[in-house]
């Protein structure tokens, strides 16, 4: 949450910063602002609203500077308005700061600063931090680096910050703890970019350094220095990005979300690439190697995640227990981290995260590590904090996911988790060779089956027209498709703001059935799996109460079409693979309903893609 970007070099900074902010807008869109230094003067422009509002505002200003930074905000402290927008500045207007994270002890620091004469314009913790740094520099008569270093030793919380000083107009200072920050390095270090993720950087350079926790970077033309907050220098470790510009643009689609839904045949294929070759009975995840024994011999597997990643974890619980025969618990990372969980070195933990930056998941990993468990990561963003915090892991290789509502990340997560389950099953000899082989072949055909499933798009758009004004919806599924029902309901509420609930179909009788009347659309995942007959009964129960039924069925089903109001036909596959297909129509249904309701599907209200605060 919150996107930060900065530039130092030979170009005009403002276009680079504004373009970067647009790329990072998925991280928050409550307000946006930029700061530039020109001829030793610091200028700050900020506006409530989206980056486009800031851009219109800047058109009437004469903005200049070859050093600049910008921020797009997801509000935590203080309402979204012009004053609380970043960048924030010091009392003397010589220092400016952008911040992603939360300074937890800001209230105490603020009180002390007020006693020393500081006045605050807004309510943010970030404004307090820049005043704090200013005060330390004044009291200690020290360099800005030293003041930042002392301040960061005092603050509690999470931050990725960039600071500029009008007195040092050729320098950017950056630091991080628990919030992401990437440094892009231009040719001969004549240019530098800083950003919350690599998307604002890739069109300029593929050389990056990921700052580690408690590190401070000093960037000047021709020079990059990194020290930690106890003043120990460290050599920057340069990595090379493997991202293309196409991957982060809309490519002819109306929205990133639709593009990402339609990318799934390819993203799942990329996820399988090199890992699965059915003809050779080859299944290997290169990233899970050194600690594989810990997974094979785990007494229990604990899966951690939030949001959609948690739903992928629930699918994995069914997969791992069925195939690998290891007991699994799936935990919301936010709950796990605060409840003194019982675990030890015999437990394996799988942490799932698209962004690899979710604060609760990171904290839960730290806790599990402290208890001796081995942690495996399933992340999409390469080099992200979670990917680095885990012992080992497997990337999902879904490519950048920019729409706030997660789609292709989910199918890629389920694919990786399925491969892990199959790998364990094989090595522990829990699966007959024939079944293993059949599943490998079927998994190999899944990208094509996803492409066939996407053909239901037009049909779903028609159904969306009928239900666009619904106030509530229920999603029901059983077994592997119960978590998919949860995910379908989450998609709808996130982007269309219709209240939706997912339930195991059999649980309907224990409450939700009371809600059914002719106004209530009920989405059933009713494919021909082992619970088909039972789902048919559940559909009958809804119809008996005049509910409206939208059923996801397998091609050729000739029973449910006689009962349901609408059917959506998808290809058949083995039970364990069904979530990879059944989720697709649910993503499309949420998408079309949201578009018809005039909602911004890529940037739904109040949400952010990467939740780096707890
Ligand atoms: C936010 C996003 C969701 C995502 C969740 C977990 O709420 O809006 O789409 O599922 O965070 O994020 P992660 O990056 O850890 O998968």
């Amino acid at each position: 949450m919150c996107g930060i970007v900065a530039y130092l070099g030979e170009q005009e900074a403002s276009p680079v910063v504004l373009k970067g902010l647009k790329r990072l807008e998925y991280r928050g869109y409550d307000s946006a602002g930029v700061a530039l230094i020109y001829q030793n003067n610091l200028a700050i422009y900020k506006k409530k609203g989206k980056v486009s509002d800031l851009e219109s505002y800047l058109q009437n200003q004469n903005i200049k500077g070859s050093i600049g930074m910008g921020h797009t905000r997801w509000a935590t402290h203080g309402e979204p308005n012009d004053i609380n927008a970043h960048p924030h500045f010091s009392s003397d207007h010589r220092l400016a700061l952008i911040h992603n994270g939360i300074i937890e002890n800001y209230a105490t620091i603020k009180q002390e600063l007020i006693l020393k004469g500081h006045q605050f314009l807004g309510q943010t913790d970030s404004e307090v931090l820049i005043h704090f740094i200013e005060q330390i520099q004044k009291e200690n008569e020290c360099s800005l680096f030293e003041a930042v270093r002392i301040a960061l030793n005092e603050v509690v919380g999470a931050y990725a910050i960039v600071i500029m000083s009008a007195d040092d107009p050729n320098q950017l200072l950056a630091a991080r703890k628990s919030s992401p920050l990437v440094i892009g390095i231009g040719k001969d270090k004549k240019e530098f970019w800083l950003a919350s993720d690599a998307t604002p950087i890739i069109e300029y350079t593929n050389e990056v350094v990921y700052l580690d926790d408690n590190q401070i970077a000093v960037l000047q033309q021709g020079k990059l220095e990194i020290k930690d907050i106890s003043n120990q220098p460290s050599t920057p470790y340069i990595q090379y990005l493997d991202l293309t510009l196409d991957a982060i643009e809309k490519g002819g689609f109306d929205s990133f979300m639709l593009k990402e839904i339609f990318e799934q045949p390819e993203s799942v294929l990329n996820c399988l690439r090199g890992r699965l070759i059915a003809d050779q009975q080859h299944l290997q995840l290169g990233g899970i190697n050194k600690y594989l024994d810990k997974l094979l011999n785990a007494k229990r597997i604990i899966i951690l995640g939030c949001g959609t990643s948690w739903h992928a974890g629930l699918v994995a619980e069914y997969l791992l227990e069925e195939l690998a025969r290891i007991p699994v618990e799936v935990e919301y990372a936010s709950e796990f981290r605060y409840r003194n969980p019982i675990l030890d070195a015999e437990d394996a933990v799988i942490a799932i995260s698209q962004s690899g930056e979710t604060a609760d998941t990171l904290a839960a990993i730290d806790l599990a590590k402290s208890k001796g468990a081995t942690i495996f990561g399933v992340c999409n963003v390469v080099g992200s904090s979670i990917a680095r915090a885990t012992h080992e892991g497997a990337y999902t290789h879904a490519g950048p996911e920019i729409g706030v509502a997660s789609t292709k990340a989910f199918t890629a997560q389920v694919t990786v988790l399925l491969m892990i389950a199959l790998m364990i099953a094989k090595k522990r000899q829990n699966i007959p060779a024939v079944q293993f082989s059949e599943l490998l072949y079927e998994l190999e055909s899944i990208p094509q089956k996803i492409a066939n499933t996407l053909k239901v798009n037009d049909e779903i758009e028609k159904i969306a027209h009928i239900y666009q004004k619904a106030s509530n919806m229920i999603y029901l599924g059983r077994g592997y498709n119960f978590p998919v029902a949860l995910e379908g309901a989450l998609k709808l509420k996130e982007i269309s703001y219709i209240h939706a609930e997912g339930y195991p179909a059999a649980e309907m009788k224990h409450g939700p059935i009371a809600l059914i009347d002719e106004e209530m659309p009920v989405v059933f995942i009713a494919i021909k799996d082992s619970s088909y007959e039972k789902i048919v009964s559940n559909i009958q129960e809804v119809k008996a109460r005049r509910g409206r039924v939208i059923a996801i069925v397998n091609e050729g089903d000739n029973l449910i079409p006689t009962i349901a109001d609408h059917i959506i036909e998808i290809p058949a596959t083995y039970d364990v693979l069904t979530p990879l297909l059944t989720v697709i129509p649910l993503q499309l249904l949420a998408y079309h309903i949201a578009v018809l309701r005039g909602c911004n599907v890529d940037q739904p209200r109040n949400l952010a893609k990467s939740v780096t605060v707890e």
Side-chain angles (χ1 to χ4, degrees):
M1 16 205 49
C2 296
I4 65 179
V5 60
Y7 173 76
L8 161 74
E10 290 162 333
Q11 312 176 36
E12 271 298 317
S14 65
V16 178
V17 169
L18 281 168
K19 205 174 197 187
L21 285 182
K22 285 197 191 140
R23 299 228 190 273
L24 292 175
E25 203 167 16
Y26 70 87
R27 301 177 66 88
Y29 26 85
D30 291 332
S31 64
V34 296
L36 297 155
I37 297 178
Y38 183 62
Q39 294 181 341
N40 286 52
N41 283 316
L42 176 66
I44 293 180
Y45 310 89
K46 45 192 197 173
K47 274 270 153 244
K48 177 181 171 186
K50 305 215 164 203
V51 177
S52 55
D53 298 314
L54 174 72
E55 212 172 17
S56 320
Y57 169 63
L58 289 178
Q59 266 162 14
N60 308 321
Q61 317 279 336
N62 180 23
I63 55 167
K64 273 198 159 93
S66 54
I67 175 164
M69 62 188 190
H71 184 276
T72 178
R73 178 168 186 242
W74 187 87
T76 56
H77 294 63
E79 66 171 282
N81 57 25
D82 292 358
I83 290 176
N84 286 330
H86 297 221
H88 289 287
F89 43 85
S90 53
S91 309
D92 63 5
H93 280 240
R94 302 295 288 167
L95 298 177
L97 164 137
I98 50 177
H99 170 216
N100 165 28
I102 290 184
I103 305 300
E104 289 169 12
N105 57 341
Y106 83 104
T108 325
I109 300 173
K110 190 172 182 175
Q111 279 316 313
E112 284 167 13
L113 290 171
I114 289 171
L115 293 176
K116 290 178 179 167
H118 286 256
Q119 289 180 350
F120 292 93
L121 305 175
Q123 292 80 42
T124 69
D125 50 335
S126 315
E127 188 187 6
V128 173
L129 181 55
I130 194 64
H131 280 250
F132 187 39
I133 291 167
E134 177 186 31
Q135 182 65 28
I136 292 173
Q137 194 176 12
K138 205 163 90 186
E139 280 174 6
N140 294 277
E141 294 179 5
C142 61
S143 67
L144 180 58
F145 171 85
E146 190 55 14
V148 170
R149 198 184 71 74
I150 296 171
L152 296 182
N153 275 290
E154 297 286 316
V155 302
V156 177
Y159 53 80
I161 53 170
V162 184
I163 298 170
M164 295 192 333
S165 165
D167 297 322
D168 235 327
N170 299 312
Q171 173 181 279
L172 288 171
L173 273 181
R176 75 155 266 178
K177 184 179 180 200
S178 305
S179 295
L181 198 56
V182 191
I183 304 170
I185 303 169
K187 196 161 181 285
D188 301 327
K189 301 200 180 92
K190 285 195 180 129
E191 289 181 291
F192 287 108
W193 297 262
L194 280 157
S196 301
D197 71 30
T199 56
I201 297 176
I202 54 169
E203 62 192 281
Y204 308 107
T205 179
N206 69 345
E207 285 188 24
V208 294
V209 171
Y210 292 93
L211 215 56
D212 279 331
D213 274 355
N214 297 316
Q215 286 187 327
I216 309 174
V218 183
L219 289 80
Q220 292 164 350
Q221 273 199 320
K223 196 163 121 193
L224 165 63
E225 270 181 10
I226 298 181
K227 289 186 176 173
D228 68 15
I229 58 171
S230 42
N231 223 1
Q232 290 306 310
S234 78
T235 311
Y237 170 53
I238 297 178
Q239 300 191 45
Y240 296 89
L241 290 173
D242 183 22
L243 259 182
T244 64
L245 206 51
D246 285 358
I248 56 162
E249 294 189 332
K250 281 190 201 157
F253 283 90
D254 288 342
S255 64
F256 282 111
M257 184 179 177
L258 191 61
K259 176 187 172 230
E260 287 156 9
I261 292 174
F262 273 85
E263 271 173 358
Q264 290 175 103
E266 200 190 326
S267 52
V268 171
L269 185 66
N270 287 338
C271 179
L272 297 172
R273 204 182 296 282
R275 294 165 162 177
L276 166 68
I277 307 167
D279 273 347
Q280 296 169 16
Q281 296 298 288
H282 168 89
L283 179 67
Q284 200 169 4
L285 290 158
I288 300 180
N289 192 359
K290 197 163 137 205
Y291 293 89
L292 180 60
D293 278 351
K294 293 275 185 191
L295 202 51
L296 296 179
N297 300 319
K299 154 182 104 207
R300 184 175 58 151
I301 295 176
I302 295 166
I303 299 183
L304 302 171
C306 302
T308 292
S309 296
W310 183 75
H311 292 158
L314 290 180
V315 175
E317 177 179 23
Y318 284 82
L319 292 171
L320 284 159
E321 292 200 340
E322 170 75 27
L323 298 167
R325 307 301 297 149
I326 299 177
V328 177
E329 283 169 32
V330 188
E331 305 273 357
Y332 284 116
S334 55
E335 288 298 312
F336 179 85
R337 63 181 286 196
Y338 287 118
R339 68 171 176 72
N340 195 10
I342 301 164
L343 78 166
D344 58 37
E346 286 179 271
D347 292 310
V349 169
I350 301 180
I352 309 173
S353 175
Q354 185 287 128
S355 62
E357 301 294 347
T358 302
D360 282 323
T361 311
L362 258 174
I365 289 169
D366 285 347
L367 176 64
K369 255 190 186 169
S370 73
K371 306 226 174 215
T374 308
I375 326 287
F376 298 85
V378 176
C379 294
N380 194 35
V381 178
V382 176
S384 55
S385 303
I386 292 176
R388 288 182 290 144
T390 48
H391 290 98
E392 277 199 326
Y395 283 115
T396 46
H397 297 309
E401 190 181 65
I402 293 165
V404 166
S406 189
T407 53
K408 64 174 178 172
F410 175 79
T411 42
Q413 288 165 346
V414 171
T415 305
V416 166
L417 293 160
L418 176 60
M419 285 192 280
I420 293 176
L422 281 167
M423 226 167 71
I424 303 176
K426 176 82 188 309
K427 295 210 185 282
R428 285 169 52 116
Q429 299 180 339
N430 287 331
I431 186 168
V434 177
Q435 191 193 353
F436 179 75
S437 170
E438 282 170 358
L439 283 173
L440 291 200
Y441 277 107
E442 185 63 10
L443 185 50
E444 216 167 46
S445 75
I446 280 289
Q448 185 53 47
K449 288 197 175 181
I450 295 177
N452 295 342
T453 305
L454 285 164
K455 291 183 187 150
V456 297
N457 186 38
D458 292 347
E459 190 55 35
I460 291 181
E461 191 175 0
K462 286 185 205 143
I463 298 173
H465 273 276
I466 303 170
Y467 295 104
Q468 58 172 302
K469 298 220 164 72
S471 325
N472 298 286
M473 263 165 102
I474 295 178
Y475 286 70
L476 300 174
R478 301 180 78 118
Y480 293 106
N481 287 297
F482 154 54
V484 177
L486 295 180
E487 175 61 8
L490 176 66
K491 286 297 84 103
L492 188 75
K493 60 189 146 194
E494 277 181 312
I495 61 169
S496 74
Y497 319 138
I498 295 175
H499 171 241
E501 297 289 345
Y503 271 93
E507 271 298 301
M508 181 182 65
K509 290 192 269 318
H510 302 288
I513 200 162
L515 299 168
I516 309 276
D517 61 16
E518 59 276 15
E519 299 291 316
M520 179 65 89
V522 185
V523 178
F524 274 95
I525 303 166
I527 45 161
K528 282 216 167 139
D529 61 7
S530 49
S531 45
Y532 178 76
E533 274 80 27
K534 296 193 174 24
I535 280 271
V536 171
S537 306
N538 297 138
I539 296 177
Q540 301 279 19
E541 288 154 11
V542 169
K543 283 315 297 173
R545 286 150 186 94
R546 288 181 296 169
R548 308 290 302 274
V549 171
I550 304 161
I552 317 291
V553 300
N554 281 138
E555 288 159 353
D557 186 319
N558 46 26
L559 171 60
I560 295 179
T562 64
I563 324 170
D565 297 85
H566 312 275
I567 55 146
I568 298 166
E569 289 191 314
I570 64 167
T573 185
Y574 292 122
D575 284 16
V576 292
L577 294 166
T578 52
L580 293 169
L581 303 184
T582 51
V583 75
I584 309 282
L586 304 190
Q587 296 168 344
L588 287 167
L589 184 64
Y591 170 81
H592 285 296
I593 290 181
V595 168
L596 290 167
R597 288 165 71 95
C599 301
N600 181 337
V601 292
D602 282 341
Q603 295 175 348
R605 70 183 181 208
N606 305 337
L607 297 179
K609 180 97 190 132
S610 178
V611 182
T612 51
V613 295
E614 59 170 297

